[in-house]
């Protein structure tokens, strides 16, 4: 099943899509989606809630689903076996959630958008 927020039909260009899992929302993907929507490139994005790999492949960015952490492909999941990423670059040792992964890659831009 796919749940998506709709956008006006008169848009001349497609909106970016933020993919996350369907079912019960958790704070990590809710925060990840909120941080992404603070950025200009995702401000108008629709949030697609699904576990269907074909639907997720259509998304511009995917958080907390898909069992892939690949920043080059904008995939930010932490559920795969062997995932141990932390923000060791700033001295932290707590394993990152999807929100932590989004913050790791977009945190400076998110903070800048708050003070702009």
């Amino acid at each position: 099943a796919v749940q998506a927020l709709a956008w006006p039909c008169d848009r001349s260009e497609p909106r970016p899509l933020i993919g996350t899992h369907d079912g019960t929302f958790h704070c990590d993907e809710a925060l990840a989606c909120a941080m992404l929507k603070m950025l200009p490139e995702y401000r108008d994005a629709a949030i697609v809630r699904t576990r269907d790999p074909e639907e997720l492949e259509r998304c511009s960015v995917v958080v907390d689903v898909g069992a892939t952490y690949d920043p080059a492909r904008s995939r930010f999941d932490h559920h795969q076996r062997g995932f141990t990423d932390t923000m060791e670059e700033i001295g932290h040792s707590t394993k990152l959630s999807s929100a932590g992964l989004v913050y790791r890659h977009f945190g400076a831009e998110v903070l800048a958008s708050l003070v702009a």
Side-chain angles (χ1 to χ4, degrees):
V2 176
Q3 302 168 341
L5 302 178
W7 59 88
C9 333
D10 62 349
R11 291 188 61 93
S12 59
E13 52 188 68
R15 288 170 72 174
L17 301 175
I18 299 171
T20 191
H21 62 79
D22 56 2
T24 304
F25 250 112
H26 305 109
C27 62
D28 64 327
E29 74 270 7
L31 180 56
C33 290
M35 285 191 291
L36 288 168
K37 287 193 60 80
M38 295 173 77
L39 303 175
E41 61 267 37
Y42 298 115
R43 184 166 290 128
D44 295 326
I47 296 175
V48 177
R49 300 185 64 214
T50 185
R51 293 180 191 273
D52 181 334
E54 290 180 20
E55 290 298 321
L56 292 170
E57 195 58 38
R58 293 181 43 240
C59 294
S60 313
V61 60
V62 176
V63 299
D64 208 44
V65 67
T68 301
Y69 172 46
D70 183 354
R73 291 183 48 236
S74 298
R75 299 306 188 246
F76 301 99
D77 193 14
H78 63 111
H79 291 105
Q80 60 276 27
R81 288 184 186 191
F83 179 85
T84 59
D85 280 49
T86 67
M87 296 242 339
E88 62 190 18
E89 59 270 23
I90 59 171
H92 292 278
S93 59
T94 302
K95 191 168 75 165
L96 295 172
S97 67
S98 59
L101 293 172
V102 168
Y103 184 80
R104 175 188 241 175
H105 295 280
F106 299 100
E109 292 173 67
V110 169
L111 293 174
S113 76
L114 291 171
V115 298

